[in-house]
Amino acid sequence: MADLLKLGVLISGNGSNLQSIIDHIERGSLKATIKIIISNNPDAFGITRAKKHGIPFVVLKNSDFTSKEEFDSELIKTLKDHGVDLVILAGFMRIISPAFLKAFPNKVMNIHPALLPSFPGLHGQRQAWEYGVKFSGCTVHFVDEGMDTGPIIIQRVVPVQDDDTEETLAARILTEEHKIYPQAIQLYADGKIEIKGRKVHIKN
Ligand code: GRF
């Protein structure tokens, strides 16, 4: 059997996307293994999830480092030490540095709660709801040096209903996030993802 894809998952908060990835792995619908979970927030609920499933985790507090460079080099070291093939940003509230991307070229994925390139940055769901769009959704993409600008792997459309609040819309988007993130990782694990410039081609 081929080696399982080794994931490093970076979180800062609730970790529901992390949970979805764990669940898919445990069910056998995602052929990968999480080698390390890293949180920059010691109080992140995602850490409780890591403990519950017996997955190794590390807390790297922003305040323990004197510079972003120092933080990122520890991040890179931790991921490399655990033999990580693909880095999964799952609600990680920190901008990734060029040095980090150089260490993991085309090997960092992120999920965003809007249909990029619309509504990048913080609170994508709120931005879309306030703007009054009729459709929003979520996007899994590779990370590049911009803010949510990297090549798009999968998007899922979520219609906005007349009686939606920001919260109800966000909840329906999150449900779709939990489906497309494991799917995108499985495509990567299967070697089906080809990046050509800004475009991601899915083989077959
Ligand atoms: C999600 O909405 C994701 O799209 C965004 O951050 C949030 C993380 O949620 N990048 P969770 O921690 O996975 O529950």
Side-chain angles (χ1 to χ4, degrees):
M1 198 176 97
D3 278 350
L4 286 174
L5 180 73
K6 300 183 196 72
L7 306 177
V9 184
L10 274 49
I11 59 165
S12 300
N14 181 27
S16 70
N17 277 287
L18 164 67
Q19 186 67 56
S20 160
I21 293 165
I22 293 171
D23 292 346
H24 278 77
I25 290 174
E26 290 185 352
R27 283 203 298 265
S29 50
L30 174 55
K31 309 260 181 313
T33 177
I34 300 176
K35 298 302 277 185
I36 187 75
I37 293 168
I38 304 176
S39 175
N40 66 336
N41 170 11
D43 302 320
F45 183 65
I47 295 172
T48 305
R49 302 180 192 270
K51 286 181 189 161
K52 185 171 171 217
H53 291 269
I55 302 170
F57 68 93
V58 168
V59 175
L60 298 180
K61 272 169 48 185
N62 303 349
S63 55
D64 286 347
F65 298 87
T66 51
S67 67
K68 189 167 168 44
E69 288 70 30
E70 205 192 305
F71 179 93
D72 273 21
S73 69
E74 187 59 28
L75 204 55
I76 294 167
K77 184 178 180 307
T78 307
L79 291 162
K80 293 278 183 195
D81 284 352
H82 287 83
V84 165
D85 303 313
L86 180 68
V87 180
I88 301 297
L89 306 186
F92 186 60
M93 302 300 284
R94 230 187 128 105
I95 306 281
I96 292 297
S97 68
F100 187 95
L101 294 173
K102 213 169 150 197
F104 292 96
N106 288 334
K107 288 179 179 164
V108 185
M109 275 188 196
N110 183 40
I111 187 149
H112 183 74
L115 292 177
L116 292 171
S118 292
F119 312 120
L122 285 178
H123 307 300
Q125 313 94 323
R126 181 187 306 167
Q127 293 183 54
W129 182 75
E130 285 178 349
Y131 195 94
V133 293
K134 301 296 185 195
F135 295 92
S136 191
C138 44
T139 305
V140 179
H141 64 94
F142 285 108
V143 176
D144 67 5
E145 292 187 16
M147 168 68 82
D148 300 323
T149 52
I152 291 171
I153 305 164
I154 301 184
Q155 292 190 298
R156 185 66 55 82
V157 174
V158 175
V160 182
Q161 294 165 2
D162 281 350
D163 59 352
D164 261 335
T165 61
E166 181 195 330
E167 290 74 24
T168 57
L169 177 62
R172 289 208 313 289
I173 291 174
L174 194 59
T175 301
E176 298 308 315
E177 291 184 34
H178 296 161
K179 297 176 192 161
I180 65 170
Y181 217 174
Q183 271 175 20
I185 298 167
Q186 185 61 57
L187 287 172
Y188 188 96
D190 288 339
K192 287 189 176 168
I193 292 182
E194 209 172 46
I195 308 177
K196 286 189 179 158
R198 317 206 7 96
K199 292 194 183 152
V200 170
H201 174 66
I202 309 290
K203 295 181 206 164
N204 305 321

